[in-house]
Amino acid sequence: MQIDSKSRIPKYQQIVDSIVKNIERGDLKVGEKLPSINDISEEYYLSRDTVVRAYNLLREKKIITSVVSKGFYVNKAVNSSNSKILFVLNKLSNYKLEIYNTFINSMGSDHQIDLQVYHCDPKLLVNIIEENLGAYDYFVIMPHFKNKNNLHSNTNPEVIDCLKSIPKNKLVIMDNYLPELGDDVACIYQDFKTDLYKALEEAKALLQKYDKLILAFPDNPIYPYPKEIKQGFLNFCSNHGIDAEVLDKIYPDMELQKKDAYIVIDENDLVSLVKQTRDMHYEIGKDIGVVSYNDTPLKELFDITVISTDFELMGESAAYMIKKHKQEVVPNIFSFIDRGSL
């Protein structure tokens, strides 16, 4: 068993990795008895709790099994050809899970894919990477951070240093481009400022019938949105002489006026806006324009015009890069989809 006292990998994880590698090499066979908790604890100067945690993890994965009063046994063979992938999201949302599920389906059943969430906390992301650095063959990471002021940040020096500890051919960055890593790290990203600007250019003919364009840009201290979205909006309005306003949310009892068009990011804001528009007997797409950020099946069902990246394509592209050993930087497709609400 290989236990490195100087490694930052937790000792329990080193035990797990050592046993799995022994099974992969055939040094441990199915049905063979494993050393007892006390034996490992005494031989490697580890606490019993550490060994218990390692064995519990192996039991949860059904790699080993326990027999009362007898000990622990190898329960199944481990296919060494199957890669282990850690998929790390900044938050759980319908969009992020769509990417994750598409990635799983694209990779197929021959891979172990685990999911972790770091809630835009850079320190938590660093901890996740350091604890799992030697445990996975690939890391797929979506880097979005909040700074000390709870505002969105595209990068973080501590995270960048940590990401550089991952071999470049084992790392895939999604959704947010990190130039500090160079262009030889696989990356599928959104260019939030440019994407929004170009999408509004596509919608320019429809926007001309409105007197004012309003962006509802959420002030979310837990999961802040990229400020580049707001910058792209303001640049577009300025360059085209459009009267613009940015709100932090759709308020109850909004001062809705005919010939206003809204771009809404948060889905709760979308529901509130649509409800208030209908309560005032305004017609969406004629009196009030509504555009939602990020597409969903429900928005398609209710004919809501959207500006959105292709989340399925992002998941498929990440899987393709791993399977084909590609290390490319690729912008994801971002589209304006007109469904009549503008």
Side-chain angles (χ1 to χ4, degrees):
M1 190 173 296
Q2 301 295 321
I3 305 295
D4 183 359
S5 61
K6 296 181 180 180
S7 174
R8 297 300 185 267
I9 300 173
K11 302 300 186 297
Y12 72 87
Q13 187 63 54
Q14 293 189 49
I15 296 173
V16 170
D17 294 343
S18 291
I19 290 175
V20 168
K21 287 177 181 177
N22 275 290
I23 297 172
E24 289 175 350
R25 289 195 302 262
D27 295 334
L28 284 171
K29 309 291 186 183
V30 174
E32 189 170 348
K33 188 175 182 179
L34 294 167
S36 71
I37 291 172
N38 287 336
D39 287 342
I40 295 178
S41 176
E42 292 173 6
E43 183 172 354
Y44 296 98
Y45 304 99
L46 300 171
S47 70
R48 290 189 82 259
D49 288 345
T50 297
V51 185
V52 168
R53 187 174 182 183
Y55 273 23
N56 283 341
L57 277 174
L58 290 165
R59 288 174 61 191
E60 289 172 8
K61 295 178 180 180
K62 303 188 185 307
I63 294 173
I64 69 172
T65 188
S66 60
V67 179
V68 178
S69 301
K70 290 189 176 181
F72 297 88
Y73 296 81
V74 178
N75 188 48
K76 67 176 184 179
V78 180
N79 188 348
S80 60
S81 64
N82 293 352
S83 60
K84 294 175 63 181
I85 303 169
L86 184 61
F87 200 100
V88 188
L89 293 175
N90 62 305
K91 67 177 180 179
L92 286 179
S93 68
N94 291 333
Y95 314 113
K96 310 288 183 177
L97 290 175
E98 184 177 354
I99 295 171
Y100 175 65
N101 290 331
T102 303
F103 177 80
I104 290 177
N105 292 335
S106 299
M107 289 301 301
S109 60
D110 294 334
H111 306 271
Q112 177 188 326
I113 304 171
D114 296 330
L115 174 66
Q116 291 211 36
V117 183
Y118 66 95
H119 307 290
C120 295
D121 183 340
K123 290 184 178 179
L124 182 54
L125 176 57
V126 169
N127 289 340
I128 290 172
I129 295 172
E130 289 182 345
E131 288 180 1
N132 293 284
L133 195 55
Y136 289 90
D137 301 298
Y138 295 96
F139 293 80
V140 181
I141 298 175
M142 193 172 290
H144 289 283
F145 315 108
K146 55 185 175 183
N147 58 26
K148 293 179 181 178
N149 298 319
N150 289 324
L151 299 175
H152 182 273
S153 176
N154 285 322
T155 189
N156 177 279
E158 187 179 1
V159 173
I160 295 298
D161 288 342
C162 187
L163 290 173
K164 288 180 177 178
S165 67
I166 301 173
K168 289 187 175 184
N169 63 333
K170 303 297 183 183
L171 176 61
V172 178
I173 298 296
M174 297 186 69
D175 205 41
N176 187 23
Y177 175 53
L178 300 176
E180 298 92 337
L181 297 179
D183 290 340
D184 51 351
V185 170
C187 177
I188 309 98
Y189 70 97
Q190 296 189 66
D191 185 340
F192 294 97
K193 180 168 65 176
T194 303
D195 285 347
L196 183 67
Y197 191 101
K198 289 182 177 178
L200 292 178
E201 283 279 2
E202 289 185 54
K204 186 167 62 174
L206 293 170
L207 291 170
Q208 287 176 347
K209 66 182 179 182
Y210 295 99
D211 297 330
K212 188 170 187 176
L213 188 55
I214 300 158
L215 172 66
F217 187 81
D219 181 16
N220 190 328
I222 301 176
Y223 302 120
Y225 288 90
K227 58 184 179 295
E228 289 80 6
I229 296 173
K230 182 162 57 176
Q231 291 171 355
F233 168 79
L234 293 173
N235 289 349
F236 173 81
C237 293
S238 174
N239 291 343
H240 292 84
I242 296 173
D243 185 15
E245 184 176 3
V246 178
L247 308 177
D248 60 348
K249 67 177 181 179
I250 298 296
Y251 291 87
D253 302 318
M254 287 280 292
E255 297 287 339
L256 297 180
Q257 296 184 25
K258 289 185 177 181
K259 301 303 178 184
D260 283 349
Y262 287 81
I263 300 173
V264 185
I265 295 178
D266 184 83
E267 295 198 4
N268 290 327
D269 282 343
L270 175 62
V271 172
S272 177
L273 177 62
V274 171
K275 186 176 184 302
Q276 291 184 59
T277 301
R278 290 176 177 174
D279 288 345
M280 295 187 68
H281 305 290
Y282 287 161
E283 184 177 343
I284 294 176
K286 180 180 179 182
D287 301 317
I288 299 288
V290 176
V291 181
S292 184
Y293 195 89
N294 290 333
D295 198 14
T296 65
L298 276 177
K299 292 173 188 177
E300 182 179 5
L301 179 64
F302 289 106
D303 296 323
I304 299 295
T305 296
V306 297
I307 46 179
S308 179
T309 197
D310 189 328
F311 297 104
E312 288 190 1
L313 179 61
M314 190 177 290
E316 291 170 356
S317 298
Y320 173 82
M321 287 188 175
I322 289 176
K323 294 169 83 170
K324 299 296 183 180
H325 307 290
K326 299 286 186 179
Q327 291 170 245
E328 303 171 346
V329 177
V330 180
N332 202 49
I333 291 176
F334 193 93
S335 306
F336 168 72
I337 304 174
D338 179 22
R339 298 191 179 119
S341 67
L342 184 59

